[in-house]
Amino acid sequence: MSRWEPDARGRLEQAALELYIERGFEQTTVAEIAKRAGLTERTFFRHFADKREVLFWGAGALQEFLVGSLASAPDSAAPIDAVAAALEAAGALLQERRESAWQRQAVIAANAELQERELIKLASLASAMADVLRRRGVADPAAGLAAEAGIAVFRIAFERWISETSQRDLPQFIRESLDELKAVTAGRSSPAADPRP
Amino acid sequence: MSRWEPDARGRLEQAALELYIERGFEQTTVAEIAKRAGLTERTFFRHFADKREVLFWGAGALQEFLVGSLASAPDSAAPIDAVAAALEAAGALLQERRESAWQRQAVIAANAELQERELIKLASLASAMADVLRRRGVADPAAGLAAEAGIAVFRIAFERWISETSQRDLPQFIRESLDELKAVTAGRSSPAADPRP
DNA sequence: CAGGTCGATGTCAGTCACTGTCATCACTTT
DNA sequence: AAAGTGATGACAGTGACTGACATCGACCTG
């Protein structure tokens, strides 16, 4: 017989998500989350660095998956395509949890602090992917740009996937967004607006 | 004879930047900032929504400039080029303040909370630019992608400009980054660094 | 000029996120 | 059995941020 109920972290995650949905992020205190999980406020902060982090705990696993996925892409693939392939693979995982992703996204969309945290997690993903690309021999400005562009593609694709009722899957949205980005950046080779001295 | 010294907001901005540089963001309390500015903590929060915002107050003007700049681009320009031209114009303004931009960036680079705030400001810029593009008739996935890609280009360019000792100017870095992005998304393997004369 | 309104600031009390420190107690190791 | 370990509780403290009300020069208005 254990002294405490098991999976304290999981109970805290669950309680936090419920309360954030019920009354909103700002209107929820950490003490309330802890109480619902049968723990104390102090214990919450032993498991999560802050009140926001409880919603982003899974990001670490996602990043590991993305990095691994990208690292094992064939060398022949162009950087942007390797990035897109990794994002599609991650997207395929994500869409198995569409309902819970939708809930989570609704909570985040309702609060600026949570959006800030999400943005820095995405920036961290981009940074990690850029590192992998550099290790694969991609030159420096290109590596960062491919990673950042990939994240932009993912953001747009995710947004459309989560807000539309259509049944198209997330990897498909990602492919479409990438094609759209390629079209947008292909544009005209010689910019019309070019006030170069 | 005025009851108070003028430019309370400016004094708070100045005091905050000094203290953030001297002892770091976390080690500075709002009470200390207010005291150095000859005001009270409560007044600080009447001028700035939070302790971070004092570093980002100028972002509003930058966004207005960018939006105006983008809105007045010729209709013939491709979206991504119009975005890049607006960013170059903003970059030209920014580089007149290179030293103060460098200080500010050093403060931000040293603190994750400040990086979060910077990211959401950049996301806001992207969102505003996407709105302008849509008003110009750019279709929906393309508008968001052109704006996000533009921000990615700007981020990379700014990073290189601020960290390198070279005398190249920021608009030039932006043009190079855009060219690099075009190369990356074209699918070709990335060209060797191509510094223009 | 008297009186009233207004806007920027001060004062003060309060909430809540987050931290440091020490105690507790089941379980494990020696 | 004694000592160690790890997760938790208890508690006090700091500091960001807010709401409510007071103050007082500047600016109207009659």
Side-chain angles (χ1 to χ4, degrees):
Chain A
M1 195 54 202
S2 175
R3 184 177 172 193
W4 301 285
E5 295 300 310
D7 195 20
R9 163 175 252 124
R11 274 149 50 214
L12 286 166
E13 249 181 305
Q14 179 70 24
L17 183 59
E18 288 172 9
L19 286 166
Y20 293 169
I21 291 171
E22 286 174 21
R23 24 183 128 159
F25 175 78
E26 280 183 15
Q27 286 66 44
T28 302
T29 70
V30 174
E32 289 167 343
I33 298 169
K35 187 178 179 186
R36 180 170 295 202
L39 294 164
T40 65
E41 193 180 351
R42 190 67 184 86
T43 297
F44 177 95
F45 287 109
R46 287 198 178 95
H47 286 279
F48 304 101
D50 59 51
K51 191 185 166 187
R52 290 177 280 168
E53 196 63 17
V54 65
L55 276 177
F56 295 91
W57 190 76
L62 181 64
Q63 176 158 333
E64 281 178 32
F65 177 84
L66 265 181
V67 164
S69 201
L70 182 57
S72 64
D75 277 356
S76 61
I80 188 68
D81 293 319
V83 166
L87 289 171
E88 285 174 32
L93 284 186
L94 250 180
Q95 76 180 346
E96 293 171 12
R97 298 236 205 292
R98 190 182 200 273
E99 187 57 30
S100 102
W102 187 87
Q103 283 188 327
R104 186 172 162 284
Q105 210 57 25
V107 171
I108 293 173
N111 183 273
E113 289 180 57
L114 293 174
Q115 290 161 39
E116 293 187 350
R117 180 58 50 87
E118 178 164 59
L119 287 172
I120 208 171
K121 294 290 182 184
L122 288 172
S124 167
L125 286 185
S127 173
M129 291 198 300
D131 282 345
V132 174
L133 289 179
R134 284 187 206 100
R135 235 173 284 130
R136 287 165 61 96
V138 179
D140 205 5
L145 281 164
E148 295 268 356
I151 290 296
V153 162
F154 180 82
R155 264 164 58 87
I156 302 280
F158 183 83
E159 194 179 305
R160 308 200 107 209
W161 173 68
I162 208 72
S163 66
E164 286 190 9
T165 55
S166 80
Q167 293 307 316
R168 282 187 297 170
D169 64 359
L170 180 50
Q172 186 179 346
F173 275 104
I174 294 173
R175 273 192 296 275
E176 289 174 9
S177 283
L178 176 62
D179 288 344
E180 195 76 25
L181 175 68
K182 286 182 175 180
V184 160
T185 53
R188 44 188 85 214
S189 49
S190 159
D194 186 8
R196 201 170 302 180
Chain B
M1 199 47 202
S2 177
R3 185 177 173 194
W4 301 285
E5 295 300 310
D7 195 20
R9 162 175 253 124
R11 274 149 52 213
L12 286 167
E13 248 181 305
Q14 179 69 25
L17 182 59
E18 289 173 8
L19 285 166
Y20 292 170
I21 290 171
E22 285 173 22
R23 25 182 127 160
F25 175 79
E26 280 183 16
Q27 286 66 43
T28 302
T29 72
V30 174
E32 289 167 344
I33 298 170
K35 187 177 178 186
R36 180 170 294 203
L39 295 164
T40 65
E41 193 180 352
R42 191 67 183 86
T43 297
F44 178 94
F45 287 110
R46 287 197 179 98
H47 285 280
F48 303 102
D50 59 51
K51 191 186 166 188
R52 291 177 280 168
E53 196 64 16
V54 65
L55 276 178
F56 295 91
W57 189 76
L62 180 64
Q63 177 159 332
E64 280 179 32
F65 177 84
L66 265 181
V67 164
S69 200
L70 182 57
S72 65
D75 277 355
S76 62
I80 188 69
D81 294 318
V83 166
L87 290 171
E88 286 174 32
L93 285 187
L94 251 181
Q95 78 180 345
E96 293 171 12
R97 298 237 204 292
R98 190 183 200 273
E99 188 56 30
S100 101
W102 186 86
Q103 283 187 327
R104 186 172 162 284
Q105 211 56 25
V107 171
I108 292 172
N111 182 274
E113 289 180 58
L114 293 174
Q115 290 161 38
E116 293 186 350
R117 180 56 52 86
E118 179 165 57
L119 288 172
I120 208 171
K121 294 289 182 184
L122 289 171
S124 167
L125 286 185
S127 173
M129 292 198 300
D131 282 345
V132 175
L133 290 179
R134 283 187 207 100
R135 235 173 283 130
R136 287 166 61 95
V138 179
D140 205 6
L145 281 164
E148 296 268 354
I151 290 296
V153 162
F154 180 82
R155 264 164 60 87
I156 301 280
F158 183 83
E159 195 179 304
R160 308 200 107 209
W161 172 69
I162 208 72
S163 67
E164 286 189 10
T165 55
S166 81
Q167 292 307 317
R168 282 187 297 170
D169 63 0
L170 181 50
Q172 186 179 347
F173 275 106
I174 293 174
R175 275 192 295 275
E176 289 175 9
S177 282
L178 176 61
D179 288 344
E180 195 77 25
L181 175 68
K182 286 182 174 179
V184 159
T185 53
R188 312 195 308 255
S189 57
S190 82
D194 180 19
R196 300 178 184 195

